[in-house]
Amino acid sequence: MAYYEQPGRTTSVDKDGKQTTTINYIGTEEAPRPSGINGTVKSKTVTKSEAGQTLTQYQIELDSSSKPVDSNTTAFEYISTVRTVPIEAHPNFGGSQISSGGFIKPEDIKLIKDTVQTPGKTFDDITDTLISAETEKCRSLYGYLAKGVESYYVPSMVVRKTYQASSPPSGGRVGKISSPGGVVAGTPKGATFLLINISARGTSGSYTVTEEYEMSGEGGWDTFLYGS
């Protein structure tokens, strides 16, 4: 798609009780006004990144008719998105097999990166030093890194879960592996979810809570780094 919503939608409340939601999009073209939100666009900002991507931000003041999710209902939104991973993790270079002796050995990845950072040194200077059998794949990886391509996009998904609560949520679960619940179809083999954002708005005793979960690739998020 030409644009997608970035995770982290936020809502602020001013001294008069008016709620303003901030929504950010990124893509190859300007994003239109978000649908399904009753309110007035307070501001719209469109900028271009150095990589040529279009960043669109909307700030929408919610109408008084906008009501929180019913206390007996949990609402789910499924947002198709992308995330970046290191270029050496691409399947053409061995991907997840690298740590167990994939196409390009870990020692060669380090050697290639060091060579890119060494002025006057080229790939031909290390061909006799490589231990990987896939020399042309090593050369290809060197070419990407030499051009400054250190990562690439992979498909992902953000699940946004909204529900009503009587007290503000704890932020202690953010950054941990956690299931959003609901029905998530078409996930990669062994994929897990990471809780990346929690926000709440409302008054004492009645809060609308929104949680956002980002899907991993195959094999799930690293349990050592993001253990639940």
Side-chain angles (χ1 to χ4, degrees):
M1 72 188 294
Y3 57 87
Y4 64 90
E5 182 180 343
Q6 293 184 285
R9 182 186 294 194
T10 59
T11 299
S12 60
V13 182
D14 65 16
K15 60 183 179 63
D16 297 319
K18 294 182 178 179
Q19 300 179 8
T20 298
T21 293
T22 301
I23 307 173
N24 296 286
Y25 294 89
I26 188 170
T28 57
E29 64 182 45
E30 180 182 325
R33 183 194 188 286
S35 60
I37 299 178
N38 296 325
T40 303
V41 176
K42 291 179 60 177
S43 68
K44 173 185 176 182
T45 306
V46 181
T47 57
K48 288 279 189 179
S49 70
E50 292 183 358
Q53 295 174 317
T54 300
L55 311 175
T56 310
Q57 182 185 86
Y58 285 93
Q59 288 192 323
I60 301 176
E61 184 178 294
L62 302 180
D63 290 344
S64 57
S65 60
S66 297
K67 299 183 183 298
V69 177
D70 182 81
S71 59
N72 296 318
T73 302
T74 298
F76 290 92
E77 294 178 71
Y78 302 93
I79 305 166
S80 295
T81 181
V82 293
R83 61 186 179 88
T84 58
V85 297
I87 188 68
E88 63 266 24
H90 193 283
N92 287 345
F93 301 131
S96 59
Q97 304 177 53
I98 287 178
S99 60
S100 59
F103 302 145
I104 303 179
K105 308 299 182 186
E107 299 90 335
D108 286 343
I109 292 175
K110 182 180 185 307
L111 178 61
I112 291 169
K113 288 184 174 181
D114 289 345
T115 302
V116 169
Q117 298 298 321
T118 304
K121 200 169 184 181
T122 68
F123 181 80
D124 290 336
D125 295 322
I126 62 171
T127 52
D128 293 337
T129 311
L130 297 171
I131 61 175
S132 302
E134 300 281 359
T135 303
E136 289 309 307
K137 290 186 182 295
C138 292
R139 185 184 296 276
S140 178
L141 176 59
Y142 172 88
Y144 279 109
L145 293 172
K147 291 186 292 186
V149 181
E150 298 182 348
S151 62
Y152 75 107
Y153 287 127
V154 296
S156 187
M157 175 186 292
V158 170
V159 177
R160 181 177 292 130
K161 176 181 178 180
T162 304
Y163 58 93
Q164 198 78 3
S166 59
S167 60
S170 168
R173 295 186 297 120
V174 176
K176 302 293 185 181
I177 297 171
S178 180
S179 172
V183 178
V184 184
T187 57
K189 183 178 180 181
T192 56
F193 283 85
L194 189 72
L195 180 56
I196 59 173
N197 180 65
I198 298 179
S199 61
R201 67 178 186 271
T203 56
S204 179
S206 179
Y207 296 89
T208 300
V209 180
T210 299
E211 300 176 348
E212 292 183 327
Y213 299 79
E214 183 174 349
M215 184 180 72
S216 71
E218 289 189 10
W221 292 103
D222 190 308
T223 55
F224 181 79
L225 298 177
Y226 306 109
S228 57

